[in-house]
Amino acid sequence: MNPRRPAALALAAALLTLAGCASAETGPSAHAATPATPGPATVTVDEHADRTTLKAAVGTTVTLALHSTYWSAATSSAPEVLAPDGAPSTAPSPSCRPGGGCGTVTAAFTARAPGTARLTATRTSCGEALNCPPEQRTYEVTVDVED
């Protein structure tokens, strides 16, 4: 028999005993845990949501991420219903060739009150020296905000 084996077994038994003691519930605080409260919902939409309608509850954050830096910042048709959360951001892709429009334009809005608002953005260029066809110049998503 290996002379180290009994020592290793004793060490393993001691560690298992300590682990069992560490996980045991003791005292009144062990039962006073409060359930986690869920935060407000967040919905992110992109080009795939163009010309669609989505439903959101009051308090929901709606983030619009359009994947081209040629898009204008999105605006809300009813800021009292769907209010902008600060300034939009533009994140160009570092590997993009100049004039390529690679990157993302992102804007966040908070659903403030029941009603309907449209988020819209526009662009005229779909690439370096490439005008967009009329059906690709506007982006619109309708948001129905409910209580």
Side-chain angles (χ1 to χ4, degrees):
M1 178 185 216
N2 184 337
R4 293 184 188 164
R5 187 175 176 139
L9 289 175
L11 178 61
L15 289 174
L16 287 173
T17 302
L18 285 174
C21 291
S23 65
E25 293 184 28
T26 57
S29 64
H31 299 288
T34 348
T37 305
T42 300
V43 177
T44 301
V45 294
D46 62 11
E47 293 86 350
H48 297 97
D50 190 19
R51 295 174 177 76
T52 64
T53 299
L54 66 99
K55 294 191 183 306
V58 170
T60 300
T61 299
V62 177
T63 302
L64 175 60
L66 297 174
H67 296 92
S68 170
T69 57
Y70 291 125
W71 285 107
S72 67
T75 58
S76 171
S77 66
E80 67 281 1
V81 173
L82 199 60
D85 286 347
S89 65
T90 301
S93 173
S95 62
C96 187
R97 65 183 176 1
C102 308
T104 306
V105 176
T106 304
F109 300 83
T110 298
R112 299 268 186 229
T116 300
R118 285 182 315 284
L119 296 178
T120 56
T122 60
R123 65 181 176 175
T124 55
S125 180
C126 284
E128 186 177 3
L130 178 63
N131 286 332
C132 290
E135 69 275 7
Q136 293 181 7
R137 290 182 183 180
T138 59
Y139 174 91
E140 182 178 302
V141 65
T142 302
V143 181
D144 288 333
V145 179
E146 303 170 341
D147 273 328

